């Protein structure tokens, strides 16, 4: 475990000074954290993540007005995965617009569903059969506290484009990892996910396992704007070895070449559970009152996996 900073005594009071650390220590700390996060993710056999995602905009008087709210649910287990989304837009008007979508994925097919606003019944939009039985991939990061401002940290931190890593200690028990990022680098070797304009910033990481992310700041640059994002994360204890994320707040300030300075805030509330028994039927059309695709038959009495 890396120890950063140095305590001194002034007038009988302990003070913390951010003592510079040899540059070699920062990549070592980064690698240690990534190794632990990856090992923790391998312990996830199933998960359910439900969150309410609120979008707020700063008005001219600096007051906040909510313009959109998303209700999201991700479920992943051995028998499949699903992603359910309810989006309510234009909440600051008298006619808010709501859309709903449910995506199911199992070893035999992927299907996209809607739901009637009048009857509540599900409607099949489309589906695609898999050519052969496929292993279902995660529909979201199994560790949601590693998804910060749409950046999946456990992938992005492995990028060779991150340079000038250095460590600080802003407060007791917290290590700050500062970085710069080369333009045009990708999230990780072999990935096509861009770094989305991030040029510099820092992560505040709790010292010691499980290395919870507590705060972050990203500086983004695009062709038409600059943006500063500051996020804070709150937790509600742990389930086994997994930190349980309760809330994330992201404040953004944009400076546009044409529109000047604009600001906004996202508030995301989470309900997360790990390694629970999830029936396979939840990932199939028949569970929602719809027929299975032609040629798809499931064995009766498929067991519920319990670990």
């Amino acid at each position: 475990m890396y120890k950063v900073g140095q305590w001194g005594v002034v007038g009988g009071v302990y003070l913390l000074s951010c003592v510079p650390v040899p540059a070699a220590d920062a990549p070592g700390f980064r690698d240690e954290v990534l190794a632990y996060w990856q090992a923790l993710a391998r312990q996830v056999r199933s998960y359910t993540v439900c969150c309410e995602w609120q979008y707020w905009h700063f008005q001219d008087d600096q007051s906040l007005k909510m313009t959109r709210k998303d209700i999201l649910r991700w479920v992943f287990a051995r028998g499949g995965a699903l992603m359910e989304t309810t989006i309510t837009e234009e909440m600051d008007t008298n006619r808010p617009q709501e859309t709903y979508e449910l995506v199911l994925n199992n070893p035999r097919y992927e299907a996209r569903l809607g739901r009637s606003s009048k009857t509540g019944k599900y409607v099949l939009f489309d589906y695609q059969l898999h050519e052969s039985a496929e292993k279902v991939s995660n529909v979201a990061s199994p560790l949601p506290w590693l998804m910060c401002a749409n950046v999946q940290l456990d992938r992005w931190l492995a990028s060779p484009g991150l340079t000038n890593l250095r460590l600080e200690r802003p407060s007791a028990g917290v290590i700050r990892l500062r970085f710069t990022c080369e333009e045009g680098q990708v999230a990780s070797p072999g990935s096509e996910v861009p770094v989305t304009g991030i040029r510099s910033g820092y992560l505040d990481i709790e010292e010691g396992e499980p290395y919870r992310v507590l705060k972050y700041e990203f500086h983004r640059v695009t062709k038409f704007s600059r943006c500063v994002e500051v996020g804070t994360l709150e937790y509600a204890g742990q389930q086994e070895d997994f930190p349980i994320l309760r809330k994330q707040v992201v404040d953004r300030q944009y400076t546009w070449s044409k529109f000047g300075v604009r600001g906004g805030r996202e508030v995301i509330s989470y309900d997360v559970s790990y390694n629970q028994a999830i029936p396979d039927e939840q990932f199939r059309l028949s569970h929602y009152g719809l027929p299975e695709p032609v040629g798809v038959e499931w064995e009766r009495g498929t067991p519920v996996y319990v670990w």
Side-chain angles (χ1 to χ4, degrees):
M1 183 183 299
Y2 282 79
K3 301 293 184 181
V4 184
Q6 182 174 326
W7 290 94
V9 181
V10 178
V13 178
Y14 282 90
L15 300 177
L16 180 67
S17 59
C18 288
V19 178
V21 180
D25 285 1
F29 174 74
R30 187 264 307 270
D31 294 344
E32 179 181 297
V33 169
L34 285 176
Y36 182 84
W37 287 348
Q38 291 163 3
L40 191 61
R42 289 194 291 269
Q43 298 180 37
V44 178
R45 298 181 294 273
S46 69
Y47 63 79
T48 301
V49 179
C50 302
C51 66
E52 179 181 283
W53 205 308
Q54 299 178 356
Y55 297 83
W56 298 76
H57 285 253
F58 285 100
Q59 308 301 300
D60 291 339
D61 60 359
Q62 295 304 302
S63 64
L64 283 165
K65 178 183 290 186
M66 185 165 65
T67 59
R68 171 174 166 172
K69 180 175 70 175
D70 298 353
I71 305 296
L72 308 174
R73 183 168 68 101
W74 298 284
V75 181
F76 172 79
R78 184 182 301 179
L82 67 81
M83 180 172 63
E84 185 177 37
T85 308
T86 303
I87 300 175
T88 306
E89 298 182 282
E90 300 181 22
M91 296 188 65
D92 54 337
T93 69
N94 294 326
R95 301 184 64 181
Q97 304 293 317
E98 183 173 293
T99 57
Y100 174 88
E101 184 177 77
L102 174 63
V103 178
L104 308 175
N105 198 356
N106 58 56
R108 300 296 301 278
Y109 59 81
E110 179 176 316
R112 189 168 61 94
L113 288 67
R115 189 169 58 191
S116 171
S117 59
K118 295 182 179 180
T119 66
K121 293 183 178 181
Y122 290 91
V123 178
L124 178 63
F125 289 154
D126 55 60
Y127 71 88
Q128 182 174 0
L129 293 173
H130 299 316
E131 294 184 1
S132 59
E134 293 189 0
K135 180 180 178 181
V136 178
S137 300
N138 288 339
V139 294
S141 171
L143 305 176
W145 44 283
L146 297 184
M147 183 62 72
C148 296
N150 297 319
V151 177
Q152 190 169 330
L153 297 181
D154 51 336
R155 294 180 58 193
W156 184 69
L157 275 180
S159 169
L162 292 179
T163 61
N164 195 25
L165 298 175
R166 57 195 187 278
L167 302 180
E168 301 171 357
R169 186 192 287 278
S171 59
V174 178
I175 295 179
R176 176 167 291 175
L177 177 63
R178 286 194 176 274
F179 61 85
T180 57
C181 188
E182 294 180 6
E183 185 175 0
Q185 293 292 334
V186 296
S188 60
S191 171
E192 296 181 356
V193 180
V195 296
T196 56
I198 296 177
R199 295 292 175 262
S200 63
Y202 67 78
L203 302 173
D204 281 356
I205 300 173
E206 188 175 51
E207 184 175 6
E209 298 174 358
Y211 299 111
R212 298 186 305 179
V213 178
L214 304 177
K215 184 180 178 180
Y216 58 88
E217 181 173 307
F218 298 149
H219 294 252
R220 300 181 189 248
V221 179
T222 69
K223 184 177 181 180
F224 302 105
S225 69
R226 294 178 176 270
C227 176
V228 178
E229 299 170 307
V230 179
T232 56
L233 294 84
E234 301 176 13
Y235 296 85
Q238 290 192 194
Q239 179 190 337
E240 301 174 1
D241 294 330
F242 304 105
I244 300 301
L245 181 62
R246 185 180 73 87
K247 186 178 182 180
Q248 181 174 177
V249 178
V250 188
D251 283 317
R252 292 186 172 91
Q253 185 178 66
Y254 294 91
T255 303
W256 297 88
S257 57
K258 290 186 177 181
F259 308 110
V261 178
R262 297 287 188 273
R265 173 176 294 171
E266 294 178 14
V267 180
I268 311 116
S269 302
Y270 298 84
D271 183 4
V272 186
S273 62
Y274 291 101
N275 296 343
Q276 305 295 309
I278 299 175
D280 293 351
E281 288 77 10
Q282 193 171 153
F283 311 114
R284 302 171 183 172
L285 288 171
S286 51
H287 182 74
Y288 303 91
L290 297 168
E292 296 290 338
V294 175
V296 174
E297 296 182 1
W298 301 104
E299 295 182 7
R300 297 194 177 190
T302 302
V304 173
Y305 296 102
V306 180
W307 295 277

